[in-house]
mmCIF file of all heavy atoms in Angstrom:
data_model
loop_
_atom_site.group_PDB
_atom_site.id
_atom_site.type_symbol
_atom_site.label_atom_id
_atom_site.label_comp_id
_atom_site.label_asym_id
_atom_site.label_seq_id
_atom_site.Cartn_x
_atom_site.Cartn_y
_atom_site.Cartn_z
ATOM 1 N N SER A 327 0.620 12.694 15.990
ATOM 2 C CA SER A 327 -0.067 13.319 17.129
ATOM 3 C C SER A 327 -1.353 14.019 16.773
ATOM 4 O O SER A 327 -2.068 14.422 17.657
ATOM 5 C CB SER A 327 0.893 14.342 17.793
ATOM 6 O OG SER A 327 1.171 15.406 16.909
ATOM 7 N N THR A 328 -1.672 14.142 15.491
ATOM 8 C CA THR A 328 -2.871 14.697 15.010
ATOM 9 C C THR A 328 -4.092 13.923 15.533
ATOM 10 O O THR A 328 -5.199 14.418 15.637
ATOM 11 C CB THR A 328 -2.897 14.813 13.547
ATOM 12 O OG1 THR A 328 -1.780 15.522 13.075
ATOM 13 C CG2 THR A 328 -4.191 15.524 13.016
ATOM 14 N N VAL A 329 -3.810 12.665 15.934
ATOM 15 C CA VAL A 329 -4.923 11.801 16.470
ATOM 16 C C VAL A 329 -5.556 12.425 17.704
ATOM 17 O O VAL A 329 -6.722 12.246 17.954
ATOM 18 C CB VAL A 329 -4.356 10.424 16.791
ATOM 19 C CG1 VAL A 329 -3.457 10.396 17.989
ATOM 20 C CG2 VAL A 329 -5.519 9.390 16.988
ATOM 21 N N THR A 330 -4.789 13.198 18.491
ATOM 22 C CA THR A 330 -5.330 13.815 19.653
ATOM 23 C C THR A 330 -6.367 14.905 19.336
ATOM 24 O O THR A 330 -7.140 15.326 20.161
ATOM 25 C CB THR A 330 -4.264 14.372 20.627
ATOM 26 O OG1 THR A 330 -3.524 15.375 19.855
ATOM 27 C CG2 THR A 330 -3.299 13.314 21.042
ATOM 28 N N LEU A 331 -6.314 15.437 18.130
ATOM 29 C CA LEU A 331 -7.300 16.410 17.723
ATOM 30 C C LEU A 331 -8.595 15.789 17.198
ATOM 31 O O LEU A 331 -9.683 16.336 17.297
ATOM 32 C CB LEU A 331 -6.693 17.316 16.593
ATOM 33 C CG LEU A 331 -5.591 18.241 16.980
ATOM 34 C CD1 LEU A 331 -5.056 18.959 15.730
ATOM 35 C CD2 LEU A 331 -6.027 19.290 17.991
ATOM 36 N N LEU A 332 -8.450 14.563 16.649
ATOM 37 C CA LEU A 332 -9.612 13.831 16.051
ATOM 38 C C LEU A 332 -10.332 13.028 17.093
ATOM 39 O O LEU A 332 -11.562 12.829 16.966
ATOM 40 C CB LEU A 332 -9.138 12.949 14.927
ATOM 41 C CG LEU A 332 -8.471 13.661 13.749
ATOM 42 C CD1 LEU A 332 -8.007 12.653 12.659
ATOM 43 C CD2 LEU A 332 -9.419 14.679 13.113
ATOM 44 N N MET A 333 -9.648 12.558 18.124
ATOM 45 C CA MET A 333 -10.289 11.740 19.144
ATOM 46 C C MET A 333 -11.527 12.386 19.813
ATOM 47 O O MET A 333 -12.550 11.767 20.020
ATOM 48 C CB MET A 333 -9.244 11.308 20.239
ATOM 49 C CG MET A 333 -8.324 10.228 19.833
ATOM 50 S SD MET A 333 -6.927 10.014 21.030
ATOM 51 C CE MET A 333 -7.836 9.849 22.514
ATOM 52 N N PRO A 334 -11.400 13.680 20.260
ATOM 53 C CA PRO A 334 -12.505 14.265 20.899
ATOM 54 C C PRO A 334 -13.814 14.396 19.942
ATOM 55 O O PRO A 334 -14.906 14.282 20.419
ATOM 56 C CB PRO A 334 -12.017 15.690 21.217
ATOM 57 C CG PRO A 334 -10.533 15.607 21.285
ATOM 58 C CD PRO A 334 -10.185 14.525 20.263
ATOM 59 N N VAL A 335 -13.511 14.521 18.631
ATOM 60 C CA VAL A 335 -14.612 14.568 17.699
ATOM 61 C C VAL A 335 -15.379 13.285 17.814
ATOM 62 O O VAL A 335 -16.634 13.220 17.767
ATOM 63 C CB VAL A 335 -14.121 14.871 16.269
ATOM 64 C CG1 VAL A 335 -15.266 14.870 15.261
ATOM 65 C CG2 VAL A 335 -13.404 16.240 16.270
ATOM 66 N N VAL A 336 -14.614 12.114 17.684
ATOM 67 C CA VAL A 336 -15.215 10.789 17.749
ATOM 68 C C VAL A 336 -15.960 10.605 19.096
ATOM 69 O O VAL A 336 -17.113 10.096 19.093
ATOM 70 C CB VAL A 336 -14.142 9.713 17.566
ATOM 71 C CG1 VAL A 336 -14.796 8.301 17.665
ATOM 72 C CG2 VAL A 336 -13.482 9.829 16.204
ATOM 73 N N ALA A 337 -15.371 11.033 20.186
ATOM 74 C CA ALA A 337 -15.954 10.880 21.483
ATOM 75 C C ALA A 337 -17.260 11.605 21.624
ATOM 76 O O ALA A 337 -18.305 11.145 22.118
ATOM 77 C CB ALA A 337 -15.012 11.378 22.559
ATOM 78 N N VAL A 338 -17.296 12.882 21.101
ATOM 79 C CA VAL A 338 -18.506 13.683 21.168
ATOM 80 C C VAL A 338 -19.559 13.073 20.275
ATOM 81 O O VAL A 338 -20.770 13.034 20.656
ATOM 82 C CB VAL A 338 -18.222 15.125 20.714
ATOM 83 C CG1 VAL A 338 -19.513 15.920 20.499
ATOM 84 C CG2 VAL A 338 -17.371 15.806 21.717
ATOM 85 N N ILE A 339 -19.262 12.541 19.109
ATOM 86 C CA ILE A 339 -20.190 11.960 18.192
ATOM 87 C C ILE A 339 -20.867 10.748 18.909
ATOM 88 O O ILE A 339 -22.120 10.586 18.912
ATOM 89 C CB ILE A 339 -19.546 11.509 16.829
ATOM 90 C CG1 ILE A 339 -19.224 12.761 16.035
ATOM 91 C CG2 ILE A 339 -20.526 10.574 16.051
ATOM 92 C CD1 ILE A 339 -18.438 12.404 14.784
ATOM 93 N N TRP A 340 -20.069 9.888 19.489
ATOM 94 C CA TRP A 340 -20.596 8.734 20.202
ATOM 95 C C TRP A 340 -21.509 9.238 21.362
ATOM 96 O O TRP A 340 -22.577 8.641 21.656
ATOM 97 C CB TRP A 340 -19.485 7.883 20.818
ATOM 98 C CG TRP A 340 -18.898 6.839 19.876
ATOM 99 C CD1 TRP A 340 -17.661 6.702 19.375
ATOM 100 C CD2 TRP A 340 -19.654 5.730 19.362
ATOM 101 N NE1 TRP A 340 -17.521 5.677 18.590
ATOM 102 C CE2 TRP A 340 -18.713 4.973 18.477
ATOM 103 C CE3 TRP A 340 -20.970 5.265 19.444
ATOM 104 C CZ2 TRP A 340 -19.117 3.858 17.813
ATOM 105 C CZ3 TRP A 340 -21.342 4.141 18.785
ATOM 106 C CH2 TRP A 340 -20.392 3.427 17.937
ATOM 107 N N GLY A 341 -21.093 10.252 22.051
ATOM 108 C CA GLY A 341 -21.898 10.784 23.193
ATOM 109 C C GLY A 341 -23.206 11.250 22.732
ATOM 110 O O GLY A 341 -24.268 11.045 23.399
ATOM 111 N N ILE A 342 -23.264 11.987 21.603
ATOM 112 C CA ILE A 342 -24.513 12.474 21.071
ATOM 113 C C ILE A 342 -25.421 11.334 20.651
ATOM 114 O O ILE A 342 -26.673 11.315 20.890
ATOM 115 C CB ILE A 342 -24.279 13.466 19.877
ATOM 116 C CG1 ILE A 342 -23.583 14.709 20.328
ATOM 117 C CG2 ILE A 342 -25.564 13.747 19.094
ATOM 118 C CD1 ILE A 342 -23.135 15.582 19.144
ATOM 119 N N ILE A 343 -24.856 10.283 19.984
ATOM 120 C CA ILE A 343 -25.595 9.076 19.591
ATOM 121 C C ILE A 343 -26.175 8.409 20.877
ATOM 122 O O ILE A 343 -27.375 7.913 20.845
ATOM 123 C CB ILE A 343 -24.728 8.079 18.876
ATOM 124 C CG1 ILE A 343 -24.290 8.669 17.568
ATOM 125 C CG2 ILE A 343 -25.424 6.766 18.738
ATOM 126 C CD1 ILE A 343 -23.326 7.769 16.773
ATOM 127 N N ASP A 344 -25.503 8.511 21.981
ATOM 128 C CA ASP A 344 -26.001 7.910 23.231
ATOM 129 C C ASP A 344 -26.874 8.800 24.101
ATOM 130 O O ASP A 344 -27.212 8.486 25.161
ATOM 131 C CB ASP A 344 -24.751 7.450 24.074
ATOM 132 C CG ASP A 344 -25.105 6.427 25.129
ATOM 133 O OD1 ASP A 344 -25.773 5.406 24.746
ATOM 134 O OD2 ASP A 344 -24.836 6.627 26.300
ATOM 135 N N GLY A 345 -27.149 9.965 23.483
ATOM 136 C CA GLY A 345 -28.148 10.868 24.186
ATOM 137 C C GLY A 345 -27.477 11.920 25.070
ATOM 138 O O GLY A 345 -28.191 12.615 25.833
ATOM 139 N N GLU A 346 -26.149 12.057 25.067
ATOM 140 C CA GLU A 346 -25.495 13.100 25.844
ATOM 141 C C GLU A 346 -25.645 14.467 25.192
ATOM 142 O O GLU A 346 -25.834 14.613 23.979
ATOM 143 C CB GLU A 346 -23.958 12.795 25.979
ATOM 144 C CG GLU A 346 -23.714 11.488 26.743
ATOM 145 C CD GLU A 346 -22.259 11.189 26.782
ATOM 146 O OE1 GLU A 346 -21.479 11.974 26.266
ATOM 147 O OE2 GLU A 346 -21.888 10.153 27.353
ATOM 148 N N LYS A 347 -25.593 15.554 26.027
ATOM 149 C CA LYS A 347 -25.690 16.873 25.490
ATOM 150 C C LYS A 347 -24.596 17.688 26.142
ATOM 151 O O LYS A 347 -24.310 17.589 27.269
ATOM 152 C CB LYS A 347 -27.092 17.473 25.891
ATOM 153 C CG LYS A 347 -28.222 16.799 25.173
ATOM 154 C CD LYS A 347 -29.544 17.451 25.534
ATOM 155 C CE LYS A 347 -30.685 16.804 24.894
ATOM 156 N NZ LYS A 347 -32.017 17.457 25.199
ATOM 157 N N LEU A 348 -24.019 18.587 25.316
ATOM 158 C CA LEU A 348 -22.986 19.532 25.776
ATOM 159 C C LEU A 348 -23.670 20.845 26.018
ATOM 160 O O LEU A 348 -24.464 21.311 25.198
ATOM 161 C CB LEU A 348 -21.918 19.664 24.718
ATOM 162 C CG LEU A 348 -20.908 18.478 24.501
ATOM 163 C CD1 LEU A 348 -19.947 18.836 23.346
ATOM 164 C CD2 LEU A 348 -20.177 18.245 25.818
ATOM 165 N N THR A 349 -23.380 21.483 27.117
ATOM 166 C CA THR A 349 -23.814 22.865 27.366
ATOM 167 C C THR A 349 -23.029 23.783 26.499
ATOM 168 O O THR A 349 -21.949 23.431 25.972
ATOM 169 C CB THR A 349 -23.679 23.295 28.831
ATOM 170 O OG1 THR A 349 -22.297 23.321 29.177
ATOM 171 C CG2 THR A 349 -24.375 22.263 29.768
#
Side-chain angles (χ1 to χ4, degrees):
S327 66
T328 305
V329 71
T330 59
L331 291 175
L332 300 178
M333 283 169 54
V335 177
V336 176
V338 169
I339 290 174
W340 274 117
I342 292 173
I343 292 175
D344 199 50
E346 296 177 1
K347 294 182 180 179
L348 290 175
T349 66

